[in-house]
Amino acid sequence: MKLQTACFLVAGLILGDLAPLSAQTSYPPLRRNELSVLDMRIDHVTDSDIYQGTQKYTASLNTFIEFAYVQQQWETGTEYLPVTWDVGMHARRLEIDVPTGAPLANTLQSVAARIGAFAQFTRRTSMSFQLDPGMYSDIHDLSGDDFSAPFGMRLMFDPDEHDLTWVFGLHINPRHQFAVIPEIGLRARIFYDWVLHLYLPNPRLEYEVTDDWTFNVGAEWIGGAYNLSNSFGDEFGRPDLNNTTLTYRDIRVMAGTKWWFDEDSYLSLNAGWSVKRKYVYDDVEDLTLSGRGAFFIQAALHSEF
């Protein structure tokens, strides 16, 4: 019954408008990374019209690029409470084919350090932390206003030797409209080769076909909160858009596959439908642009070495 309730909750988030709360937050890993971790991703959302209320702009497309690298640095704590620290970097770039006249930036980008920690309380209970301090902006006239430091923490409890892991999280972003976002989720091996990942930002159901191939269906929430330049709104006759925050939100449903070319490394290919894209000016009342549904395709590399 609990699993069924959780599934209905995720479906409700996809259909409703609660999922965008997850934009630009920090998601610590659910397990300790023994090695250095490299993540690279690119995805492309095809043309769809943009609306500001009833006003329609011509079709727009988005290209999303992401890179992250973390390396285990040192261990602290005690024999009974070891803490492992990771340090690295994280970068994202969103290229927008802006329709003529639409009050949107054509580039939104973040470059941040990544500082993580993993604490093992007991054999079945652990906690992870992640801080991403850096610049989140449209990369024009960079200043201290572009600085932000999203933070996340997760408590993981394994009551049944990793066949079921409960996740309790808290994600904080001082720049975002919703600064504090709670999280309750789980990871469960339903059958021998079926695994349910029911936590943000990528809830999914995976089928382990072989040791090398995995198929999945699910959803994804991506986005970010970015500070715009001091003169951004001038070209639209909207000085109220200068030095303000633009939040990008994208909710997707998707299916795809992973090829595990090594024990801890894989290439993935996913495709699906961008259900709801929004560009929200958090500091400007009633200014939101919405993109219609569109097809997207995504390729990614995850490697631990």
Side-chain angles (χ1 to χ4, degrees):
M1 180 60 72
K2 291 181 179 179
L3 186 58
Q4 184 181 31
T5 301
C7 292
F8 280 122
L9 174 60
V10 170
L13 289 177
I14 295 172
L15 295 174
D17 200 25
L18 297 178
L21 306 189
S22 65
Q24 196 62 67
T25 55
S26 218
Y27 296 101
L30 266 64
R31 65 179 179 88
R32 176 181 175 182
N33 294 314
E34 303 284 350
L35 305 169
S36 298
V37 179
L38 172 68
D39 283 298
M40 300 176 66
R41 178 174 110 168
I42 182 169
D43 72 36
H44 180 74
V45 184
T46 58
D47 287 354
S48 69
D49 293 330
I50 299 291
Y51 285 81
Q52 180 183 342
T54 58
Q55 183 176 358
K56 176 182 175 180
Y57 296 100
T58 56
S60 169
L61 53 86
N62 294 353
T63 301
F64 186 83
I65 303 169
E66 185 170 21
F67 171 87
Y69 173 77
V70 294
Q71 179 177 330
Q72 188 177 135
Q73 294 294 322
W74 63 85
E75 293 187 3
T76 60
T78 67
E79 177 184 356
Y80 304 101
L81 183 57
V83 179
T84 304
W85 292 85
D86 299 324
V87 175
M89 69 162 295
H90 178 238
R92 281 180 173 178
R93 184 179 178 92
L94 174 65
E95 294 281 354
I96 305 172
D97 181 21
V98 179
T100 302
L104 288 175
N106 56 18
T107 302
L108 299 173
Q109 183 166 297
S110 65
V111 178
R114 174 152 287 178
I115 303 168
F118 192 94
Q120 191 73 45
F121 297 125
T122 69
R123 184 166 60 91
R124 296 183 176 180
T125 306
S126 58
M127 178 172 282
S128 59
F129 305 85
Q130 186 168 289
L131 178 69
D132 292 334
M135 308 300 282
Y136 299 79
S137 76
D138 60 355
I139 65 173
H140 292 287
D141 56 27
L142 293 174
S143 69
D145 292 332
D146 299 326
F147 179 82
S148 187
F151 171 77
M153 58 185 297
R154 277 174 164 163
L155 176 68
M156 287 78 69
F157 176 60
D158 302 328
D160 190 24
E161 297 294 342
H162 302 289
D163 283 340
L164 174 64
T165 301
W166 286 100
V167 182
F168 304 93
L170 194 65
H171 309 286
I172 301 171
N173 182 0
R175 183 180 293 281
H176 197 272
Q177 180 183 5
F178 302 95
V180 180
I181 302 169
E183 176 190 17
I184 299 177
L186 59 86
R187 176 192 181 278
R189 184 169 291 278
I190 306 173
F191 304 109
Y192 175 75
D193 45 13
W194 290 87
V195 182
L196 178 65
H197 302 260
L198 203 59
Y199 51 86
L200 295 174
N202 181 210
R204 64 196 183 278
L205 178 64
E206 291 187 343
Y207 174 51
E208 298 170 350
V209 182
T210 68
D211 291 340
D212 298 332
W213 289 94
T214 302
F215 292 100
N216 67 88
V217 294
E220 184 179 40
W221 289 261
I222 67 171
Y226 303 89
N227 191 66
L228 301 179
S229 72
N230 292 323
S231 59
F232 169 76
D234 293 344
E235 62 178 292
F236 305 103
R238 294 288 304 267
D240 54 331
L241 301 184
N242 295 337
N243 196 34
T244 190
T245 299
L246 174 63
T247 296
Y248 170 70
R249 307 168 177 174
D250 193 346
I251 308 172
R252 290 111 167 262
V253 292
M254 58 198 292
T257 184
K258 292 179 182 177
W259 171 50
W260 296 83
F261 59 88
D262 192 57
E263 182 179 359
D264 296 305
S265 302
Y266 62 79
L267 290 168
S268 70
L269 181 65
N270 291 282
W273 193 256
S274 174
V275 179
K276 181 179 291 186
R277 278 183 295 160
K278 283 193 173 183
Y279 310 85
V280 181
Y281 289 89
D282 295 336
D283 303 324
V284 181
E285 187 176 358
D286 298 328
L287 182 51
T288 298
L289 287 85
S290 301
R292 292 296 186 261
F295 174 79
F296 79 93
I297 188 168
Q298 173 194 112
L301 165 69
H302 173 88
S303 181
E304 298 183 27
F305 52 92

